[in-house]
Amino acid sequence: MKVTEHFEQSKGNTLVSFEILPPLKGGGVQAIFDTLDPLMEFKPPFIDVTYHREEFLYKKRQSGYYEKIAIRKRPGTVGICASIMHRYGIDAIPHLICGGFTKEETENALIDLNFLSINNVLALRGDARPFETKFSPEKDGHEFAIDLVRQMADMNKGIYLDDNIENGQKTDFCIGIAGYPEKHFESPNLETDLIFTKEKVKAGADYIVTQMFFDNEQFKGYLKNCKDFGIDVPIVPGLKPITRRYQLSALPRRFFVDLPSDLVKALEKAKTDEAVREVGIEWCIMQSKELKAMGVPCLHYYTMGDSETIKRIAEAVY
Ligand code: FAD
């Protein structure tokens, strides 16, 4: 079923969903089930699975020279989606990025998803790789997420890249995109970011999942801005509890988000690792309850492999 249909059927109740990462290469699918099994009691209608582009490593050879090698540390997004659907009988949403794919490879990946009856996809651009200063697409790849959205919207009309195809099968993708309550870090300002987000919706995006945020006022402001800009698709807040002290600086650095002063003060007062985790959990529960009371369509938790923490939060909220 499409994500948007889940929202329609929920009749105003706030659903819950989880995002997981594929295990590191060499790991097994059981690690995924170990994360998800404890969360199934909350009846998530769908699970998101992230996609990870290849990275480059430098390996020292016997000659003393370093060789640059490409490695994908977390492959398996599509296989994991199929396993989730098979084991739990719920929808799984692969993230698909522009980075690392030519347009033709993207088309082939989408054809595979269609054959697997995976009809929901979160369409993203992806980030620059660690050694790059800015995102660079493949030669003949997409530069922005909107190009990927357009390609999927075309396939939904039966239009494929190969113009020899006549009467191509129409896919039925429900297309999710990313949104940034505190703006995407490359955008010159919030307004420009919203203009591009609106373009993605006009191109065919069906719903938005937001970057994590720690101040619900940011999300409320984002909802209002989207409304003012005529962005009328469902907007799902993404939530991540802070569980470790280093995240005080790591999360703003990695995700370009602000932490509210009250949260920072409470975390600084916490003396032990366990106390830090408790503060993070309580904060996330508080955010979740308020968002649920506002009637958001779904609360989307970034699990990052920590199902125990997410379970505690979901228990308090649902
Ligand atoms: P875009 O929509 O392409 O936007 C990127 C930037 O370009 C923005 O600043 C935007 O304002 C600007 N822009 C957009 N269109 C244009 C245009 N036509 N001309 C000029 N500028 C433009 N990354 C992964 O690698 N794997 C994942 O699984 C993954 N999952 C994610 C899930 C969520 C919910 C979120 C919020 C992010 C996720 N990301 C993931 C990270 C994401 O790939 C990065 O945030 C990336 O930097 C931007 O992706 P985007 O789809 O928002 O890009």
Side-chain angles (χ1 to χ4, degrees):
M1 203 155 98
K2 292 182 178 185
V3 165
T4 45
E5 289 169 344
H6 285 298
F7 295 157
E8 280 156 24
Q9 285 197 3
S10 72
K11 299 199 175 73
N13 290 320
T14 299
L15 303 173
V16 62
S17 64
F18 306 107
E19 179 191 282
I20 56 161
L21 278 66
L24 287 166
K25 193 183 264 186
V29 76
Q30 190 55 44
I32 297 294
F33 298 151
D34 290 346
T35 300
L36 289 179
D37 282 352
L39 300 174
M40 281 303 133
E41 65 177 275
F42 305 106
K43 302 200 178 348
F46 56 88
I47 301 289
D48 274 58
V49 185
T50 55
Y51 184 91
H52 299 262
R53 193 180 175 178
E54 87 284 1
E55 296 174 25
F56 287 109
L57 302 175
Y58 286 89
K59 266 207 161 165
K60 196 172 183 183
R61 294 297 175 205
Q62 270 185 340
S63 60
Y65 285 109
Y66 283 86
E67 188 187 353
K68 185 177 169 187
I69 53 165
I71 184 158
R72 272 187 66 203
K73 289 185 179 167
R74 293 180 187 272
T77 300
V78 175
I80 289 168
C81 284
S83 292
I84 290 172
M85 288 165 75
H86 179 67
R87 181 174 170 102
Y88 302 109
I90 61 173
D91 287 304
I93 307 181
H95 292 188
L96 189 60
I97 64 171
C98 303
F101 286 83
T102 65
K103 290 172 197 162
E104 200 195 344
E105 285 165 347
T106 299
E107 182 168 276
N108 293 339
L110 289 167
I111 288 170
D112 275 345
L113 294 178
N114 185 44
F115 287 159
L116 285 164
S117 300
I118 296 177
N119 293 326
N120 297 289
V121 174
L122 196 72
L124 302 147
R125 185 196 69 179
D127 280 319
R129 284 168 293 182
F131 66 94
E132 293 174 327
T133 49
K134 68 191 242 316
F135 172 81
S136 57
E138 289 300 291
K139 191 169 167 289
D140 199 28
H142 293 310
E143 194 176 356
F144 296 107
I146 190 171
D147 304 314
L148 176 53
V149 173
R150 287 196 180 114
Q151 186 173 12
M152 293 173 72
D154 273 351
M155 286 176 68
N156 281 350
K157 292 184 209 130
I159 302 169
Y160 291 74
L161 292 179
D162 181 348
D163 53 17
N164 290 317
I165 299 175
E166 282 178 21
N167 301 320
Q169 199 210 7
K170 290 181 183 168
T171 55
D172 193 19
F173 288 117
C174 175
I175 308 169
I177 53 167
Y180 303 86
E182 296 172 68
K183 100 172 176 64
H184 184 262
F185 71 101
E186 290 169 25
S187 275
N189 56 45
L190 196 56
E191 188 177 336
T192 313
D193 206 26
L194 286 160
I195 290 169
F196 288 131
T197 303
K198 182 166 183 191
E199 289 303 309
K200 286 195 276 189
V201 172
K202 269 170 54 187
D206 296 295
Y207 70 100
I208 296 172
V209 183
T210 76
Q211 182 59 278
M212 66 181 72
F213 57 90
F214 295 89
D215 182 351
N216 284 354
E217 294 307 312
Q218 297 278 4
F219 180 75
K220 290 180 203 168
Y222 183 67
L223 284 187
K224 181 175 182 317
N225 287 332
C226 285
K227 194 164 174 233
D228 292 348
F229 272 74
I231 298 170
D232 53 4
V233 293
I235 300 177
V236 175
L239 293 171
K240 144 113 192 88
I242 289 191
T243 49
R244 304 257 201 297
R245 195 178 298 279
Y246 78 86
Q247 291 169 340
L248 263 170
S249 56
L251 294 178
R253 191 169 58 237
R254 170 80 182 82
F255 298 104
F256 305 93
V257 292
D258 273 1
L259 304 184
S261 300
D262 287 350
L263 173 60
V264 175
K265 279 182 202 151
L267 288 166
E268 280 172 347
K269 264 198 218 148
K271 294 282 174 266
T272 61
D273 289 350
E274 195 41 45
V276 166
R277 184 165 168 266
E278 287 306 311
V279 170
I281 288 174
E282 284 309 315
W283 190 271
C284 193
I285 291 173
M286 181 271 291
Q287 275 193 282
S288 305
K289 283 186 172 169
E290 193 189 359
L291 292 165
K292 190 164 171 253
M294 281 166 56
V296 297
C298 183
L299 293 173
H300 184 69
Y301 292 102
Y302 298 109
T303 66
M304 297 188 176
D306 184 357
S307 54
E308 201 188 312
T309 297
I310 301 297
K311 187 172 156 76
R312 276 219 19 221
I313 294 163
E315 268 167 354
V317 179
Y318 286 91

